[in-house]
Amino acid sequence: MADIEKLHRKFLQSTGACTDSRKLLPKGMFFALRGPNFDANAFAAEALKQGCSYAVVDDPNVATDHRFIVVADVLNALQELALHHRRTFDIPFIGITGSNGKTTTKELLYAVLSADRPTLATTGNLNNHIGVPLTLLRLTLEHRIAIIEMGANKVGDIAELTALAEPTHGMITNIGKAHLEGFGGAEGVLIGKTEMYAFVKQHGGTLFVNGDDPLLMEKSSGIPRVTYGTEEGVQTRGRSMAEDAFLTVVFSGRDGDEHQARTRLVGAYNLPNALAAIAIGQHFGIADDRIAGALEAYSPSNSRSQFTDTGRNQLVLDAYNANPTSMAAALENFARLPSDRRKLAILGDMRELGPTSALEHQAIVHQLEKLGIETMLVGGEFMNTNGGSSLRRFADADAVLKALTEEQPHASIILIKGSRGIKLETVIPAL
């Protein structure tokens, strides 16, 4: 069995870690993970044949030469290697979690920090017990700071991930109604997310806290923190300017002057995300004009607060994920958007809400009734709601696509939001 120091030495000789046999790294180190429906030990020999230098396996029977590294458990080895590798770096590690906005905040923060120094950040949705180790193993001697996004579906997930990444700095974007089924309700979400604060406090780190959020201010009390928000008393203060669909942020510089950044994000609900990136950038000494320039240059491309003009319609694409908190905020913002175009919302079911699912979907319908937004509701949960004369209900995305193809909407501004499983991105060709 390989010990971690020996494994790390071999890892440093490779080009990096990979776990997907379809996305192998030439001269990389392949980790043969097991899952509910697969055992990658069976692909280890092929990974070596395709150009990997090493294959980490936990089935001794597949190991036929020195290139196979046998461990007791591949997942544990991956995590222990990542922690060992992380501990060889004496740089700031910023852990980010939250019910809404954590990925957008991470992307904005990466734009700001990487404009000033070599920065490592989580890519895609690699924010779980496998993704975080893979992110840490991308660290090189070039990096001067790291941003590690951490997702959670249940109590204990953030505690596990902080123990792997050992963040020196931490932030929670917010605590909302996300993954209620796994967390066992709103109280579970609160307990699970604040595991970030607990780790940072225990290890003498620093928090970045939204000063406009009473709950986060309460839970971070007594821990060294940097605050941001719109109210007096915060260390980084800013506001939004309503000029058009895009968020324009005006923020206080460290020199006492005001600075402005016209972002390419749609939605005033992104203001806290932008202010978080500004506050962290200022904390690490980045010039205010460079921060503003980085925010203006960032263009969302991951179906989060993404604005697209198709020529026929304008789309506000927020179809990567959805929960009651983010859905309500998106609708309020959409209703306020300055536009003389017809407004249409295409909303998909919100997944993983457990016993509260029917109630939360009905609450969105009531909100739509008050706002008076013409809406196409998609999915079984929304199909079972009541009310709304301006609401049309469809069983799935295919049914919506068929209707939109027949109707050919034009000169409209359209909000598209739902959980990934509804696949609302598939309706875009008809718009």
Side-chain angles (χ1 to χ4, degrees):
M1 298 292 178
D3 66 40
I4 291 303
E5 288 192 1
K6 288 182 180 177
L7 182 60
H8 188 241
R9 285 196 292 272
K10 290 185 176 181
F11 170 74
L12 293 177
Q13 296 167 9
S14 76
T15 57
C18 52
T19 60
D20 190 337
S21 59
R22 299 163 298 181
K23 301 175 182 177
L24 297 171
L25 290 173
K27 298 184 179 180
M29 179 175 279
F30 177 70
F31 287 80
L33 296 172
R34 297 174 186 258
N37 304 309
F38 67 90
D39 179 357
N41 282 278
F43 306 121
E46 182 63 22
L48 294 173
K49 184 178 178 182
Q50 293 297 323
C52 284
S53 294
Y54 300 102
V56 182
V57 299
D58 49 21
D59 180 357
N61 295 319
V62 305
T64 56
D65 61 42
H66 71 281
R67 296 174 300 166
F68 293 87
I69 303 171
V70 180
V71 297
D73 181 277
V74 172
L75 176 59
N76 287 344
L78 175 67
Q79 294 174 337
E80 289 177 19
L81 175 65
L83 177 59
H84 181 85
H85 186 62
R86 179 260 176 269
R87 286 177 173 173
T88 64
F89 292 84
D90 185 19
I91 61 174
F93 282 76
I94 305 169
I96 297 179
T97 191
S99 299
N100 303 298
K102 60 182 176 291
T103 299
T104 299
T105 301
K106 178 259 299 182
E107 294 289 338
L108 291 170
L109 180 55
Y110 176 73
V112 168
L113 294 178
S114 63
D116 185 79
R117 67 199 67 178
T119 304
L120 173 78
T122 301
T123 59
N125 61 349
L126 294 176
N127 61 8
N128 63 7
H129 64 296
I130 297 172
V132 168
L134 289 174
T135 299
L136 294 170
L137 290 172
R138 287 174 43 227
L139 281 164
T140 70
L141 294 176
E142 174 189 56
H143 292 118
R144 293 293 173 264
I145 196 165
I147 309 163
I148 311 297
E149 181 184 333
M150 302 180 188
N153 296 316
K154 63 184 185 303
V155 172
D157 282 353
I158 297 300
E160 176 185 353
L161 297 179
T162 52
L164 283 173
E166 295 187 342
T168 58
H169 299 72
M171 74 168 298
I172 302 171
T173 55
N174 52 54
I175 297 174
K177 297 176 179 179
H179 304 293
L180 294 177
E181 187 172 22
F183 278 107
E187 183 62 27
V189 178
L190 174 61
I191 294 170
K193 295 298 183 183
T194 52
E195 290 167 355
M196 173 70 75
Y197 285 179
F199 182 92
V200 172
K201 179 180 181 180
Q202 183 180 354
H203 293 82
T206 301
L207 300 176
F208 300 102
V209 183
N210 183 350
D212 296 342
D213 190 319
L215 181 59
L216 294 181
M217 288 296 286
E218 175 193 342
K219 294 299 179 182
S220 63
S221 178
I223 309 172
R225 65 189 180 187
V226 175
T227 57
Y228 59 90
T230 61
E231 302 295 331
E232 289 186 13
V234 296
Q235 286 146 284
T236 294
R237 189 181 183 192
R239 66 183 190 277
S240 62
M241 288 178 57
E243 293 182 339
D244 52 27
F246 295 108
L247 170 68
T248 295
V249 183
V250 179
F251 64 95
S252 55
R254 289 179 298 155
D255 54 10
D257 293 336
E258 282 197 333
H259 298 261
Q260 180 174 308
R262 183 179 184 270
T263 76
R264 302 183 197 183
L265 293 166
V266 177
Y269 54 84
N270 279 301
L271 177 61
N273 304 331
L275 289 177
I278 293 166
I280 298 173
Q282 290 180 338
H283 178 76
F284 287 106
I286 301 177
D288 294 306
D289 57 351
R290 180 168 285 192
I291 292 173
L295 293 178
E296 290 183 340
Y298 169 69
S299 181
S301 58
N302 50 12
S303 297
R304 290 181 170 94
S305 304
Q306 184 178 347
F307 183 86
T308 302
D309 194 323
T310 69
R312 288 173 41 218
N313 299 287
Q314 294 177 342
L315 309 182
V316 179
L317 185 58
D318 203 0
Y320 187 82
N321 221 332
N323 58 56
T325 307
S326 66
M327 183 77 82
L331 288 172
E332 290 290 342
N333 180 78
F334 187 59
R336 291 195 302 266
L337 276 184
S339 177
D340 55 3
R341 290 172 173 252
R342 168 204 181 198
K343 287 185 177 180
L344 170 66
I346 304 174
L347 307 181
D349 278 357
M350 302 171 289
R351 298 283 178 87
E352 299 181 44
L353 297 182
T356 66
S357 186
L359 184 65
E360 297 292 356
H361 283 84
Q362 189 63 53
I364 294 297
V365 168
H366 291 326
Q367 182 184 12
L368 287 165
E369 289 176 318
K370 291 179 182 178
L371 295 174
I373 300 173
E374 180 185 351
T375 305
M376 304 172 89
L377 298 171
V378 189
E381 292 289 346
F382 274 129
M383 286 283 287
N384 291 325
T385 56
N386 301 309
S389 58
S390 62
L391 311 180
R392 300 161 63 190
R393 293 170 172 83
F394 299 84
D396 51 36
D398 288 341
V400 179
L401 178 60
K402 181 179 179 182
L404 292 170
T405 302
E406 293 172 354
E407 296 167 18
Q408 291 289 301
H410 63 280
S412 300
I413 184 166
I414 303 170
L415 170 66
I416 304 174
K417 186 167 181 64
S419 287
R420 263 179 299 172
I422 305 299
K423 300 180 179 179
L424 287 185
E425 68 278 2
T426 61
V427 310
I428 294 174
L431 301 173

